[in-house]
Amino acid sequence: MQVRRFEEPDAQALAELMIEMAGFYGATIDPDLVVVEDIIRQARQVDIIVAHDDTHLLGFATFASLYPVAGLLAFTYVQQVYVGQTARRLGVAQALMAEIARAAKAAGSTRVEWSTSRENTAARSLYDGLGADGSDKVYYVLDREALDRLAVRGQQGA
């Protein structure tokens, strides 16, 4: 298994894995979304790494280095780590997280942050095994109508 940065030729296989992930989480995909093109466009704004063997994409992670965190230090935020069903329990997620740690250090980050649901015991077990500390932070989501309402708040004529 190898872990490396996403490259444009990975887009089709990554799209298939992302669609699998959406199903795993019970999410719906906008029928107007062209996933392959969206991946290529989004890869310009966020770091994407992939884990693969000689023939298949096994998993991926998305993350970004940000500034500042308390103490005016850079940090890296992991948005998503996903391993395909056929590649679970093979060390893929741990390899992805290790690559994120290397990228974070190279970017000057002093910490890496992410979240997962309390119910995702497999992910929590992995993260605990990495030496990560849990957090009491509250996770917020602003989407769809709430996002639209906030985006127009304070605009003239709104």
Side-chain angles (χ1 to χ4, degrees):
M1 171 185 47
Q2 296 179 326
V3 177
R4 61 170 169 74
R5 295 250 177 216
F6 163 82
E7 297 170 357
E8 199 167 311
D10 300 322
Q12 182 60 49
L14 183 54
E16 292 168 11
L17 198 55
M18 286 184 170
I19 290 167
E20 176 188 317
M21 177 196 68
F24 177 81
Y25 288 114
T28 57
I29 299 172
D30 183 335
D32 294 331
L33 181 65
V34 181
V35 180
V36 172
E37 284 89 0
D38 194 50
I39 289 168
I40 293 167
R41 183 175 56 256
Q42 296 298 334
R44 295 182 194 116
Q45 301 174 57
V46 65
D47 291 305
I48 303 174
I49 56 174
V50 296
H52 64 92
D53 62 16
D54 292 336
T55 59
H56 295 94
L57 199 64
L58 307 172
F60 73 93
T62 59
F63 59 99
S65 295
L66 305 166
Y67 175 82
V69 73
L72 299 181
L73 300 170
F75 74 105
T76 296
Y77 186 80
V78 180
Q79 176 58 38
Q80 185 67 55
V81 175
Y82 184 78
V83 176
Q85 285 187 323
T86 61
R88 294 193 182 140
R89 309 263 188 255
L90 300 176
V92 176
Q94 189 167 3
L96 288 165
M97 291 299 292
E99 183 62 24
I100 291 169
R102 286 187 285 276
K105 291 186 68 62
S109 293
T110 59
R111 64 191 289 151
V112 176
E113 296 182 9
W114 66 91
S115 65
T116 192
S117 68
R118 292 193 188 279
E119 297 79 26
N120 193 341
T121 56
R124 290 178 58 205
S125 178
L126 165 74
Y127 300 146
D128 289 344
L130 297 176
D133 293 324
S135 172
D136 291 330
K137 288 186 178 183
V138 177
Y139 179 74
Y140 288 91
V141 176
L142 186 65
D143 67 358
R144 306 206 186 273
E145 293 83 18
L147 177 62
D148 293 342
R149 283 191 305 272
L150 183 58
V152 299
R153 187 178 294 172
Q155 289 182 339
Q156 286 187 336

